[in-house]
Amino acid sequence: MTKPRSRRGGGRPTIADVARKAGVGAITVSRALREPGRVSEDLRRQIRAAVDELGYVPDPNARALASARAEVFGVLVPSLTNNVFAEVVRGIYDSLSDSPFRIQIGNTHYSGLEEERLLQVFGSQRPAALIVAGIDQTPSARRLLENAGCPVVQVMETGPDPVDMMVGFSHFDGGRTAAEHLLQAGYRKIGFIGARMDPRSQRRLAGYRAAMEAAGLFDARLVTTTPVPSSVTLGRELFRDALAKMPTLDGVFCNNDDIALGVLFECHRASIDVPKQIGIVGFNDLDMMQVSFPSITSVRTHRYEIGTRAVAMALSAIAGNRPEQRIVDLGFELMRRESTGR
Amino acid sequence: MTKPRSRRGGGRPTIADVARKAGVGAITVSRALREPGRVSEDLRRQIRAAVDELGYVPDPNARALASARAEVFGVLVPSLTNNVFAEVVRGIYDSLSDSPFRIQIGNTHYSGLEEERLLQVFGSQRPAALIVAGIDQTPSARRLLENAGCPVVQVMETGPDPVDMMVGFSHFDGGRTAAEHLLQAGYRKIGFIGARMDPRSQRRLAGYRAAMEAAGLFDARLVTTTPVPSSVTLGRELFRDALAKMPTLDGVFCNNDDIALGVLFECHRASIDVPKQIGIVGFNDLDMMQVSFPSITSVRTHRYEIGTRAVAMALSAIAGNRPEQRIVDLGFELMRRESTGR
DNA sequence: CATGCAAATGGTAGCGCTACCATCTCGGGC
DNA sequence: GCCCGAGATGGTAGCGCTACCATTTGCATG
């Protein structure tokens, strides 16, 4: 009449099995695993031996239920394929790989509503921390973040009013710097070409516009944008549109490097000399920018570092150390190359 | 002397609160949420009203603990930034966005040991399904997959001996097709340039080699590889190496499109005519291949579909329908473009 | 009219872990 | 020698949910 080992669990060893084998209480095993310092050397050794022998792995679900806190970082990004976010995510993964924290990524597809939905889903798990891209949450998404009951890091941008913490840089300044560089290099009819036009792209456009207005050279016809997702192909097409609209164009600030590459290829194809006839500046500084012919000037952003820094801040907040600096500006760097070397 | 609402839980509504409000048993609420068909129309309405009013969201951790099954898809990929895997992951996300399943991605960094470790971690959660890239698991990783107790889909490649299910294509055939195309186009001294050289790259190389040997044109000096991660910059450097080693080179099959782009740029820089002096074939067919100047011939792979198909198979296995076809070959498509149009 | 059976609902007993609160031991201070 | 507090360990009682096994009801069947 022995009770079967377990009604449902797949018969995997539990903390009670380890405790029995090590001759201690279950709670001591739990402590030995989570706060080794609070268990004596002797027992710790016995427990480790029992764990190894049984191949015990704690059940994260039971752990989360009992402690009302899951060892999960929730990460919300607008795109998985955009290299920019992929780099941030990679930074997050690398920083968390030696920690007990798991990572759960949500893809918002650049939609505020989808972001709300995912925040709801993520929140139901009581994550240890949340990392979200951008600062333009809907009011209700913002409320969810404020009530998440865990550290929150907004990444990619800086802004005046963080939910909790922030790591990023000023896209406005990035756009302005790019435009000013073209102006200094002697270009005058400088276009802006942008796809997707999410809030960050909008702010880069605003920075470009500020620089152009300051130089007395802004003209609405210089701006060519589309809500369509960015691609190299699209860069080529938009550049053609821009040129059709404004044949005297002598420079372009591209919303991102894919667009810039598309512009460069179209210049090759149409035998437009870069940088003599057209100067090109990209944004993000992907690897290929330095190899292309001619190499392309771009605004380098520190995407991987944004990820690692965000994790570092969240981790220290979890440990109880609120950071002295809630807003971290990692800046950017203008990489001058052949494409603007007139 | 009223007991406090709860010792730990943040005071969020539980299934018992909903049951009380709706005047039914907790189990009926649980059923109404998971198998609505088994609860009468009337109660379902009452329950839905109570859920909405209280803002009840089920706790996935409690659910996982009680049912010994987490609504999680574990996904293991070797890289997060490599566009190839990002596309697969995007397909997985899109296919799962309307389901209750969450996704947990693990980054193996092309390491079998890391894959084992992540499998151990993922397994401890009792995931609903596992999707892993590649077919070259270590013996112990393979054992973990076999004992995972859930559907397993190996993606990116096909092979003779699936753990459970497989979706992908033959990299060997892809490599052979690329080389044969160059041969047919009249190129003779066709090099292979590859970075990273993971098992899939090795098989593409093997396919290339088979085609070259069949034509009696294989020469070990035609092959230039490195274990270093792939990049456009690296493509340029490897091409220079290849050319230094074999100045009469008249074609290259590049392990991937980044390398191919690097080769193209170096050709521009060194005034090597493409396709007259050198023919170039890439692999994967990223968007930029069709826009570059000249456009680059590439082997198109169906990465997004691999992701969606893997999810579809896993979902149907979860529903109890073992697929008639355990190995799905999605093939590839040679996209002929200017870079091989001699 | 008893019987059987399916459909609808509920009670009980955990799932595997940890928070909370003992209990016990030991050494130092008086 | 006694008291006290710190450190180490353990027992109990859940966390919020669902598997399992009733129980109830309604209705077709013989």
PDB file of all heavy atoms in Angstrom, chain A residues 14-15 30 34 56 58-59 62-63 66, chain C residues 13-22:
ATOM      1  N   THR A  14      13.129  15.849  -5.483  1.00  0.00           N
ATOM      2  CA  THR A  14      12.695  17.130  -4.925  1.00  0.00           C
ATOM      3  C   THR A  14      13.625  17.503  -3.781  1.00  0.00           C
ATOM      4  O   THR A  14      14.503  16.731  -3.396  1.00  0.00           O
ATOM      5  CB  THR A  14      11.270  17.037  -4.374  1.00  0.00           C
ATOM      6  OG1 THR A  14      11.311  16.243  -3.187  1.00  0.00           O
ATOM      7  CG2 THR A  14      10.333  16.398  -5.377  1.00  0.00           C
ATOM      8  N   ILE A  15      13.374  18.649  -3.254  1.00  0.00           N
ATOM      9  CA  ILE A  15      14.219  19.134  -2.167  1.00  0.00           C
ATOM     10  C   ILE A  15      14.116  18.193  -0.970  1.00  0.00           C
ATOM     11  O   ILE A  15      15.073  18.039  -0.199  1.00  0.00           O
ATOM     12  CB  ILE A  15      13.823  20.580  -1.807  1.00  0.00           C
ATOM     13  CG1 ILE A  15      14.983  21.275  -1.100  1.00  0.00           C
ATOM     14  CG2 ILE A  15      12.535  20.624  -1.002  1.00  0.00           C
ATOM     15  CD1 ILE A  15      14.781  22.766  -0.966  1.00  0.00           C
ATOM     16  N   SER A  30      17.336  24.229   1.201  1.00  0.00           N
ATOM     17  CA  SER A  30      16.935  25.447   0.506  1.00  0.00           C
ATOM     18  C   SER A  30      17.921  26.571   0.807  1.00  0.00           C
ATOM     19  O   SER A  30      18.376  27.275  -0.088  1.00  0.00           O
ATOM     20  CB  SER A  30      15.519  25.829   0.961  1.00  0.00           C
ATOM     21  OG  SER A  30      15.132  27.050   0.409  1.00  0.00           O
ATOM     22  N   ARG A  34      20.582  28.767  -1.574  1.00  0.00           N
ATOM     23  CA  ARG A  34      20.359  30.182  -1.864  1.00  0.00           C
ATOM     24  C   ARG A  34      21.246  31.125  -1.061  1.00  0.00           C
ATOM     25  O   ARG A  34      21.628  32.188  -1.541  1.00  0.00           O
ATOM     26  CB  ARG A  34      18.889  30.543  -1.623  1.00  0.00           C
ATOM     27  CG  ARG A  34      17.948  29.894  -2.635  1.00  0.00           C
ATOM     28  CD  ARG A  34      16.522  30.220  -2.288  1.00  0.00           C
ATOM     29  NE  ARG A  34      16.204  29.755  -0.934  1.00  0.00           N
ATOM     30  CZ  ARG A  34      15.562  30.474  -0.021  1.00  0.00           C
ATOM     31  NH1 ARG A  34      15.180  31.691  -0.297  1.00  0.00           N
ATOM     32  NH2 ARG A  34      15.320  29.957   1.179  1.00  0.00           N
ATOM     33  N   TYR A  56      19.743  16.696  -8.494  1.00  0.00           N
ATOM     34  CA  TYR A  56      18.637  17.597  -8.149  1.00  0.00           C
ATOM     35  C   TYR A  56      18.792  18.960  -8.810  1.00  0.00           C
ATOM     36  O   TYR A  56      19.867  19.557  -8.810  1.00  0.00           O
ATOM     37  CB  TYR A  56      18.586  17.776  -6.633  1.00  0.00           C
ATOM     38  CG  TYR A  56      17.659  18.878  -6.188  1.00  0.00           C
ATOM     39  CD1 TYR A  56      16.281  18.724  -6.265  1.00  0.00           C
ATOM     40  CD2 TYR A  56      18.170  20.079  -5.702  1.00  0.00           C
ATOM     41  CE1 TYR A  56      15.429  19.738  -5.860  1.00  0.00           C
ATOM     42  CE2 TYR A  56      17.330  21.090  -5.289  1.00  0.00           C
ATOM     43  CZ  TYR A  56      15.957  20.922  -5.368  1.00  0.00           C
ATOM     44  OH  TYR A  56      15.122  21.935  -4.968  1.00  0.00           O
ATOM     45  N   PRO A  58      16.530  22.567  -8.722  1.00  0.00           N
ATOM     46  CA  PRO A  58      15.344  23.184  -8.106  1.00  0.00           C
ATOM     47  C   PRO A  58      14.291  23.510  -9.159  1.00  0.00           C
ATOM     48  O   PRO A  58      14.620  23.837 -10.295  1.00  0.00           O
ATOM     49  CB  PRO A  58      15.890  24.477  -7.490  1.00  0.00           C
ATOM     50  CG  PRO A  58      17.365  24.322  -7.428  1.00  0.00           C
ATOM     51  CD  PRO A  58      17.735  23.343  -8.513  1.00  0.00           C
ATOM     52  N   ASP A  59      13.065  23.398  -8.782  1.00  0.00           N
ATOM     53  CA  ASP A  59      11.971  23.735  -9.693  1.00  0.00           C
ATOM     54  C   ASP A  59      11.694  25.232  -9.616  1.00  0.00           C
ATOM     55  O   ASP A  59      11.239  25.732  -8.586  1.00  0.00           O
ATOM     56  CB  ASP A  59      10.731  22.942  -9.266  1.00  0.00           C
ATOM     57  CG  ASP A  59       9.547  23.216 -10.173  1.00  0.00           C
ATOM     58  OD1 ASP A  59       9.457  24.325 -10.714  1.00  0.00           O
ATOM     59  OD2 ASP A  59       8.715  22.316 -10.334  1.00  0.00           O
ATOM     60  N   ALA A  62       8.036  26.246  -8.584  1.00  0.00           N
ATOM     61  CA  ALA A  62       7.714  26.125  -7.163  1.00  0.00           C
ATOM     62  C   ALA A  62       8.395  27.239  -6.387  1.00  0.00           C
ATOM     63  O   ALA A  62       7.819  27.849  -5.487  1.00  0.00           O
ATOM     64  CB  ALA A  62       8.174  24.769  -6.643  1.00  0.00           C
ATOM     65  N   ARG A  63       9.610  27.515  -6.764  1.00  0.00           N
ATOM     66  CA  ARG A  63      10.367  28.572  -6.117  1.00  0.00           C
ATOM     67  C   ARG A  63       9.651  29.914  -6.278  1.00  0.00           C
ATOM     68  O   ARG A  63       9.481  30.669  -5.321  1.00  0.00           O
ATOM     69  CB  ARG A  63      11.734  28.632  -6.788  1.00  0.00           C
ATOM     70  CG  ARG A  63      12.771  29.344  -6.027  1.00  0.00           C
ATOM     71  CD  ARG A  63      14.114  29.122  -6.697  1.00  0.00           C
ATOM     72  NE  ARG A  63      14.954  28.259  -5.883  1.00  0.00           N
ATOM     73  CZ  ARG A  63      16.256  28.111  -6.109  1.00  0.00           C
ATOM     74  NH1 ARG A  63      16.821  28.719  -7.131  1.00  0.00           N
ATOM     75  NH2 ARG A  63      16.973  27.345  -5.329  1.00  0.00           N
ATOM     76  N   ALA A  66       6.435  30.015  -4.151  1.00  0.00           N
ATOM     77  CA  ALA A  66       6.645  30.127  -2.716  1.00  0.00           C
ATOM     78  C   ALA A  66       7.201  31.486  -2.317  1.00  0.00           C
ATOM     79  O   ALA A  66       6.879  32.011  -1.261  1.00  0.00           O
ATOM     80  CB  ALA A  66       7.580  29.016  -2.242  1.00  0.00           C
TER      81      ALA A  66
ATOM     82  P    DA C  13      -8.380  15.729   2.124  1.00  0.00           P
ATOM     83  OP1  DA C  13      -8.491  14.458   2.863  1.00  0.00           O
ATOM     84  OP2  DA C  13      -8.307  17.022   2.848  1.00  0.00           O
ATOM     85  O5'  DA C  13      -7.136  15.620   1.150  1.00  0.00           O
ATOM     86  C5'  DA C  13      -7.181  14.702   0.056  1.00  0.00           C
ATOM     87  C4'  DA C  13      -6.025  14.983  -0.873  1.00  0.00           C
ATOM     88  O4'  DA C  13      -6.305  16.151  -1.679  1.00  0.00           O
ATOM     89  C3'  DA C  13      -4.714  15.279  -0.146  1.00  0.00           C
ATOM     90  O3'  DA C  13      -3.679  14.647  -0.884  1.00  0.00           O
ATOM     91  C2'  DA C  13      -4.606  16.802  -0.211  1.00  0.00           C
ATOM     92  C1'  DA C  13      -5.208  17.049  -1.593  1.00  0.00           C
ATOM     93  N9   DA C  13      -5.703  18.407  -1.828  1.00  0.00           N
ATOM     94  C8   DA C  13      -6.274  19.268  -0.939  1.00  0.00           C
ATOM     95  N7   DA C  13      -6.631  20.418  -1.471  1.00  0.00           N
ATOM     96  C5   DA C  13      -6.275  20.291  -2.796  1.00  0.00           C
ATOM     97  C6   DA C  13      -6.389  21.169  -3.897  1.00  0.00           C
ATOM     98  N6   DA C  13      -6.916  22.382  -3.826  1.00  0.00           N
ATOM     99  N1   DA C  13      -5.926  20.722  -5.092  1.00  0.00           N
ATOM    100  C2   DA C  13      -5.400  19.497  -5.168  1.00  0.00           C
ATOM    101  N3   DA C  13      -5.243  18.585  -4.210  1.00  0.00           N
ATOM    102  C4   DA C  13      -5.705  19.061  -3.036  1.00  0.00           C
ATOM    103  P    DG C  14      -2.323  14.325  -0.180  1.00  0.00           P
ATOM    104  OP1  DG C  14      -1.412  13.738  -1.218  1.00  0.00           O
ATOM    105  OP2  DG C  14      -2.586  13.609   1.039  1.00  0.00           O
ATOM    106  O5'  DG C  14      -1.857  15.813   0.192  1.00  0.00           O
ATOM    107  C5'  DG C  14      -0.664  16.313  -0.341  1.00  0.00           C
ATOM    108  C4'  DG C  14      -0.651  16.264  -1.858  1.00  0.00           C
ATOM    109  O4'  DG C  14      -1.793  16.998  -2.370  1.00  0.00           O
ATOM    110  C3'  DG C  14       0.585  16.935  -2.420  1.00  0.00           C
ATOM    111  O3'  DG C  14       1.119  16.177  -3.484  1.00  0.00           O
ATOM    112  C2'  DG C  14       0.128  18.291  -2.884  1.00  0.00           C
ATOM    113  C1'  DG C  14      -1.353  18.111  -3.123  1.00  0.00           C
ATOM    114  N9   DG C  14      -2.044  19.320  -2.663  1.00  0.00           N
ATOM    115  C8   DG C  14      -2.473  19.610  -1.376  1.00  0.00           C
ATOM    116  N7   DG C  14      -3.058  20.777  -1.295  1.00  0.00           N
ATOM    117  C5   DG C  14      -3.004  21.282  -2.598  1.00  0.00           C
ATOM    118  C6   DG C  14      -3.477  22.514  -3.129  1.00  0.00           C
ATOM    119  O6   DG C  14      -4.047  23.420  -2.530  1.00  0.00           O
ATOM    120  N1   DG C  14      -3.206  22.627  -4.492  1.00  0.00           N
ATOM    121  C2   DG C  14      -2.577  21.671  -5.249  1.00  0.00           C
ATOM    122  N2   DG C  14      -2.403  21.956  -6.526  1.00  0.00           N
ATOM    123  N3   DG C  14      -2.148  20.523  -4.775  1.00  0.00           N
ATOM    124  C4   DG C  14      -2.394  20.397  -3.448  1.00  0.00           C
ATOM    125  P    DC C  15       2.675  16.099  -3.639  1.00  0.00           P
ATOM    126  OP1  DC C  15       2.982  14.721  -4.064  1.00  0.00           O
ATOM    127  OP2  DC C  15       3.334  16.669  -2.450  1.00  0.00           O
ATOM    128  O5'  DC C  15       2.965  17.117  -4.819  1.00  0.00           O
ATOM    129  C5'  DC C  15       2.595  16.840  -6.150  1.00  0.00           C
ATOM    130  C4'  DC C  15       2.964  18.035  -6.996  1.00  0.00           C
ATOM    131  O4'  DC C  15       1.969  19.059  -6.835  1.00  0.00           O
ATOM    132  C3'  DC C  15       4.303  18.666  -6.635  1.00  0.00           C
ATOM    133  O3'  DC C  15       5.268  18.209  -7.571  1.00  0.00           O
ATOM    134  C2'  DC C  15       4.077  20.177  -6.793  1.00  0.00           C
ATOM    135  C1'  DC C  15       2.554  20.345  -6.826  1.00  0.00           C
ATOM    136  N1   DC C  15       1.931  21.055  -5.668  1.00  0.00           N
ATOM    137  C2   DC C  15       1.103  22.160  -5.898  1.00  0.00           C
ATOM    138  O2   DC C  15       0.943  22.557  -7.046  1.00  0.00           O
ATOM    139  N3   DC C  15       0.502  22.759  -4.840  1.00  0.00           N
ATOM    140  C4   DC C  15       0.702  22.300  -3.604  1.00  0.00           C
ATOM    141  N4   DC C  15       0.074  22.913  -2.610  1.00  0.00           N
ATOM    142  C5   DC C  15       1.543  21.173  -3.361  1.00  0.00           C
ATOM    143  C6   DC C  15       2.137  20.590  -4.410  1.00  0.00           C
ATOM    144  P    DG C  16       6.570  17.432  -6.995  1.00  0.00           P
ATOM    145  OP1  DG C  16       7.175  16.796  -8.176  1.00  0.00           O
ATOM    146  OP2  DG C  16       6.244  16.642  -5.802  1.00  0.00           O
ATOM    147  O5'  DG C  16       7.517  18.623  -6.526  1.00  0.00           O
ATOM    148  C5'  DG C  16       7.910  19.601  -7.455  1.00  0.00           C
ATOM    149  C4'  DG C  16       8.419  20.800  -6.692  1.00  0.00           C
ATOM    150  O4'  DG C  16       7.341  21.357  -5.916  1.00  0.00           O
ATOM    151  C3'  DG C  16       9.550  20.485  -5.702  1.00  0.00           C
ATOM    152  O3'  DG C  16      10.585  21.403  -5.949  1.00  0.00           O
ATOM    153  C2'  DG C  16       8.895  20.685  -4.339  1.00  0.00           C
ATOM    154  C1'  DG C  16       7.831  21.734  -4.663  1.00  0.00           C
ATOM    155  N9   DG C  16       6.708  21.745  -3.748  1.00  0.00           N
ATOM    156  C8   DG C  16       6.153  20.681  -3.087  1.00  0.00           C
ATOM    157  N7   DG C  16       5.136  21.022  -2.335  1.00  0.00           N
ATOM    158  C5   DG C  16       5.010  22.386  -2.519  1.00  0.00           C
ATOM    159  C6   DG C  16       4.092  23.297  -1.957  1.00  0.00           C
ATOM    160  O6   DG C  16       3.163  23.076  -1.177  1.00  0.00           O
ATOM    161  N1   DG C  16       4.310  24.606  -2.414  1.00  0.00           N
ATOM    162  C2   DG C  16       5.309  24.962  -3.292  1.00  0.00           C
ATOM    163  N2   DG C  16       5.384  26.251  -3.615  1.00  0.00           N
ATOM    164  N3   DG C  16       6.177  24.116  -3.812  1.00  0.00           N
ATOM    165  C4   DG C  16       5.970  22.856  -3.393  1.00  0.00           C
ATOM    166  P    DC C  17      11.907  21.453  -5.143  1.00  0.00           P
ATOM    167  OP1  DC C  17      12.974  21.625  -6.129  1.00  0.00           O
ATOM    168  OP2  DC C  17      11.970  20.355  -4.176  1.00  0.00           O
ATOM    169  O5'  DC C  17      11.735  22.786  -4.288  1.00  0.00           O
ATOM    170  C5'  DC C  17      11.814  24.026  -4.916  1.00  0.00           C
ATOM    171  C4'  DC C  17      10.988  25.047  -4.174  1.00  0.00           C
ATOM    172  O4'  DC C  17       9.793  24.439  -3.669  1.00  0.00           O
ATOM    173  C3'  DC C  17      11.655  25.637  -2.944  1.00  0.00           C
ATOM    174  O3'  DC C  17      12.411  26.779  -3.342  1.00  0.00           O
ATOM    175  C2'  DC C  17      10.480  26.050  -2.071  1.00  0.00           C
ATOM    176  C1'  DC C  17       9.298  25.248  -2.623  1.00  0.00           C
ATOM    177  N1   DC C  17       8.636  24.374  -1.633  1.00  0.00           N
ATOM    178  C2   DC C  17       7.605  24.895  -0.855  1.00  0.00           C
ATOM    179  O2   DC C  17       7.303  26.079  -0.974  1.00  0.00           O
ATOM    180  N3   DC C  17       6.964  24.080   0.025  1.00  0.00           N
ATOM    181  C4   DC C  17       7.314  22.806   0.128  1.00  0.00           C
ATOM    182  N4   DC C  17       6.639  22.043   0.998  1.00  0.00           N
ATOM    183  C5   DC C  17       8.372  22.250  -0.652  1.00  0.00           C
ATOM    184  C6   DC C  17       9.005  23.061  -1.506  1.00  0.00           C
ATOM    185  P    DT C  18      13.424  27.409  -2.317  1.00  0.00           P
ATOM    186  OP1  DT C  18      14.308  28.269  -3.108  1.00  0.00           O
ATOM    187  OP2  DT C  18      13.983  26.371  -1.442  1.00  0.00           O
ATOM    188  O5'  DT C  18      12.497  28.337  -1.407  1.00  0.00           O
ATOM    189  C5'  DT C  18      11.756  29.387  -2.012  1.00  0.00           C
ATOM    190  C4'  DT C  18      10.909  30.086  -0.976  1.00  0.00           C
ATOM    191  O4'  DT C  18       9.996  29.140  -0.367  1.00  0.00           O
ATOM    192  C3'  DT C  18      11.683  30.715   0.171  1.00  0.00           C
ATOM    193  O3'  DT C  18      10.967  31.872   0.556  1.00  0.00           O
ATOM    194  C2'  DT C  18      11.609  29.653   1.249  1.00  0.00           C
ATOM    195  C1'  DT C  18      10.183  29.163   1.046  1.00  0.00           C
ATOM    196  N1   DT C  18       9.868  27.798   1.539  1.00  0.00           N
ATOM    197  C2   DT C  18       8.714  27.630   2.279  1.00  0.00           C
ATOM    198  O2   DT C  18       7.960  28.540   2.551  1.00  0.00           O
ATOM    199  N3   DT C  18       8.482  26.338   2.697  1.00  0.00           N
ATOM    200  C4   DT C  18       9.268  25.226   2.448  1.00  0.00           C
ATOM    201  O4   DT C  18       8.940  24.122   2.871  1.00  0.00           O
ATOM    202  C5   DT C  18      10.454  25.475   1.667  1.00  0.00           C
ATOM    203  C7   DT C  18      11.363  24.345   1.342  1.00  0.00           C
ATOM    204  C6   DT C  18      10.702  26.732   1.261  1.00  0.00           C
ATOM    205  P    DA C  19      11.737  33.083   1.215  1.00  0.00           P
ATOM    206  OP1  DA C  19      11.911  34.092   0.156  1.00  0.00           O
ATOM    207  OP2  DA C  19      12.894  32.601   1.984  1.00  0.00           O
ATOM    208  O5'  DA C  19      10.646  33.628   2.242  1.00  0.00           O
ATOM    209  C5'  DA C  19       9.376  34.066   1.770  1.00  0.00           C
ATOM    210  C4'  DA C  19       8.422  34.210   2.937  1.00  0.00           C
ATOM    211  O4'  DA C  19       8.085  32.893   3.440  1.00  0.00           O
ATOM    212  C3'  DA C  19       8.968  34.983   4.134  1.00  0.00           C
ATOM    213  O3'  DA C  19       7.910  35.759   4.680  1.00  0.00           O
ATOM    214  C2'  DA C  19       9.448  33.909   5.083  1.00  0.00           C
ATOM    215  C1'  DA C  19       8.482  32.768   4.802  1.00  0.00           C
ATOM    216  N9   DA C  19       9.071  31.436   4.915  1.00  0.00           N
ATOM    217  C8   DA C  19      10.256  31.009   4.382  1.00  0.00           C
ATOM    218  N7   DA C  19      10.524  29.744   4.621  1.00  0.00           N
ATOM    219  C5   DA C  19       9.442  29.311   5.354  1.00  0.00           C
ATOM    220  C6   DA C  19       9.118  28.062   5.914  1.00  0.00           C
ATOM    221  N6   DA C  19       9.882  26.978   5.801  1.00  0.00           N
ATOM    222  N1   DA C  19       7.955  27.963   6.599  1.00  0.00           N
ATOM    223  C2   DA C  19       7.173  29.044   6.708  1.00  0.00           C
ATOM    224  N3   DA C  19       7.366  30.272   6.216  1.00  0.00           N
ATOM    225  C4   DA C  19       8.538  30.334   5.543  1.00  0.00           C
ATOM    226  P    DC C  20       8.184  36.758   5.833  1.00  0.00           P
ATOM    227  OP1  DC C  20       7.210  37.830   5.674  1.00  0.00           O
ATOM    228  OP2  DC C  20       9.632  37.051   5.897  1.00  0.00           O
ATOM    229  O5'  DC C  20       7.799  35.886   7.111  1.00  0.00           O
ATOM    230  C5'  DC C  20       6.540  35.230   7.147  1.00  0.00           C
ATOM    231  C4'  DC C  20       6.468  34.361   8.382  1.00  0.00           C
ATOM    232  O4'  DC C  20       7.168  33.129   8.150  1.00  0.00           O
ATOM    233  C3'  DC C  20       7.096  34.988   9.632  1.00  0.00           C
ATOM    234  O3'  DC C  20       6.116  35.012  10.654  1.00  0.00           O
ATOM    235  C2'  DC C  20       8.272  34.086   9.958  1.00  0.00           C
ATOM    236  C1'  DC C  20       7.844  32.764   9.325  1.00  0.00           C
ATOM    237  N1   DC C  20       8.955  31.859   8.933  1.00  0.00           N
ATOM    238  C2   DC C  20       8.882  30.503   9.259  1.00  0.00           C
ATOM    239  O2   DC C  20       7.893  30.081   9.866  1.00  0.00           O
ATOM    240  N3   DC C  20       9.901  29.684   8.908  1.00  0.00           N
ATOM    241  C4   DC C  20      10.958  30.174   8.259  1.00  0.00           C
ATOM    242  N4   DC C  20      11.923  29.330   7.917  1.00  0.00           N
ATOM    243  C5   DC C  20      11.047  31.561   7.915  1.00  0.00           C
ATOM    244  C6   DC C  20      10.037  32.366   8.273  1.00  0.00           C
ATOM    245  P    DC C  21       6.404  35.834  12.000  1.00  0.00           P
ATOM    246  OP1  DC C  21       5.124  36.442  12.396  1.00  0.00           O
ATOM    247  OP2  DC C  21       7.626  36.636  11.870  1.00  0.00           O
ATOM    248  O5'  DC C  21       6.702  34.622  12.999  1.00  0.00           O
ATOM    249  C5'  DC C  21       5.776  33.542  13.043  1.00  0.00           C
ATOM    250  C4'  DC C  21       6.436  32.344  13.669  1.00  0.00           C
ATOM    251  O4'  DC C  21       7.491  31.849  12.817  1.00  0.00           O
ATOM    252  C3'  DC C  21       7.075  32.618  15.038  1.00  0.00           C
ATOM    253  O3'  DC C  21       6.584  31.669  15.953  1.00  0.00           O
ATOM    254  C2'  DC C  21       8.569  32.457  14.769  1.00  0.00           C
ATOM    255  C1'  DC C  21       8.560  31.432  13.643  1.00  0.00           C
ATOM    256  N1   DC C  21       9.803  31.371  12.834  1.00  0.00           N
ATOM    257  C2   DC C  21      10.409  30.138  12.621  1.00  0.00           C
ATOM    258  O2   DC C  21       9.885  29.124  13.081  1.00  0.00           O
ATOM    259  N3   DC C  21      11.561  30.090  11.899  1.00  0.00           N
ATOM    260  C4   DC C  21      12.094  31.215  11.411  1.00  0.00           C
ATOM    261  N4   DC C  21      13.224  31.114  10.707  1.00  0.00           N
ATOM    262  C5   DC C  21      11.490  32.478  11.621  1.00  0.00           C
ATOM    263  C6   DC C  21      10.350  32.525  12.340  1.00  0.00           C
ATOM    264  P    DA C  22       6.890  31.866  17.517  1.00  0.00           P
ATOM    265  OP1  DA C  22       6.081  30.811  18.190  1.00  0.00           O
ATOM    266  OP2  DA C  22       6.834  33.266  17.951  1.00  0.00           O
ATOM    267  O5'  DA C  22       8.420  31.465  17.539  1.00  0.00           O
ATOM    268  C5'  DA C  22       8.852  30.630  18.555  1.00  0.00           C
ATOM    269  C4'  DA C  22       8.643  29.175  18.170  1.00  0.00           C
ATOM    270  O4'  DA C  22       9.093  28.951  16.795  1.00  0.00           O
ATOM    271  C3'  DA C  22       9.471  28.273  19.056  1.00  0.00           C
ATOM    272  O3'  DA C  22       8.790  27.090  19.393  1.00  0.00           O
ATOM    273  C2'  DA C  22      10.734  28.019  18.260  1.00  0.00           C
ATOM    274  C1'  DA C  22      10.315  28.262  16.811  1.00  0.00           C
ATOM    275  N9   DA C  22      11.327  29.086  16.135  1.00  0.00           N
ATOM    276  C8   DA C  22      11.362  30.439  16.005  1.00  0.00           C
ATOM    277  N7   DA C  22      12.393  30.886  15.312  1.00  0.00           N
ATOM    278  C5   DA C  22      13.084  29.717  14.978  1.00  0.00           C
ATOM    279  C6   DA C  22      14.272  29.498  14.261  1.00  0.00           C
ATOM    280  N6   DA C  22      14.992  30.476  13.710  1.00  0.00           N
ATOM    281  N1   DA C  22      14.689  28.234  14.127  1.00  0.00           N
ATOM    282  C2   DA C  22      13.960  27.254  14.668  1.00  0.00           C
ATOM    283  N3   DA C  22      12.824  27.328  15.366  1.00  0.00           N
ATOM    284  C4   DA C  22      12.437  28.612  15.480  1.00  0.00           C
TER     285       DA C  22
END
